[in-house]
Amino acid sequence: MTDHTTPREPDVASPCRQQCQLDASGTHCTGCQRTLDEIAGWSHYSNAEKRAVWARLMALPVPVVREKRCERCAAAFGCGSGSGSGAVDGGCWCNELPQVLPLSIDGSDCLCPGCLKAHMAAEYRKRGMTPPPVLEQP
C-alpha cells in the first residue's frame, strides 16, 4: 500500500525569548515585542499569520547599543552596533546577516558574531541549503 500523504509544513517558531515583561503601556512584551493579542493567539495562528508577525518584528528599529555576553562562548560584544557596510543608522551587526527563522536560540538572548554565523550556517545545512558566503567567513 502506498502512502499518499503530503508532509506537513513545520510550524514557524515562536519569537518568545523567555524574557517576558510588559511595556509601560501594557500592550507589548519587552522581550519579544509581540502584542498581547499576538502572544495569546500564537498557538492558533497559521504559519502565514506567524510569518506576518515575524515580518513586523524584524522591521522594528534596533535598540541602542548594549553590552552583551554570548550565550554559547561567553564572549563580550555590542548589541545594536553596526560594523559593516550594511549597517544602517545604528542598526545591529546581526542585521547585516541573512535572515533565518527562528532568530532566538532556545529562548536565549544573543550570540556573538562568530557563534551566530556558525548557528545560521548549520540551520541552512539542516534545511538542505548551502549557506551564503557571509556565514562561512570567520
Side-chain angles (χ1 to χ4, degrees), residues 124-135:
Y124 270 85
R125 288 186 199 96
K126 187 168 40 172
R127 294 174 173 112
M129 299 165 38
T130 301
V134 68
L135 298 181

Side-chain angles (χ1 to χ4, degrees), residues 103-128:
L103 296 179
S104 64
I105 291 82
D106 301 329
S108 63
D109 196 1
C110 295
L111 299 178
C112 69
C115 288
L116 181 59
K117 285 180 180 182
H119 172 75
M120 291 173 74
E123 288 295 314
Y124 270 85
R125 288 186 199 96
K126 187 168 40 172
R127 294 174 173 112

Side-chain angles (χ1 to χ4, degrees), residues 46-88:
S46 68
N47 278 345
E49 291 169 313
K50 290 176 182 180
R51 283 189 204 95
V53 172
W54 269 108
R56 184 187 69 74
L57 296 176
M58 292 168 67
L60 293 174
V62 176
V64 296
V65 175
R66 294 176 292 164
E67 184 65 26
K68 297 275 194 161
R69 289 248 171 232
C70 178
E71 294 286 330
R72 290 198 178 160
C73 71
F77 65 96
C79 175
S81 58
S83 60
S85 60
V88 179

Side-chain angles (χ1 to χ4, degrees), residues 22-28 30:
L22 289 178
D23 66 356
S25 69
T27 61
H28 288 79
T30 60

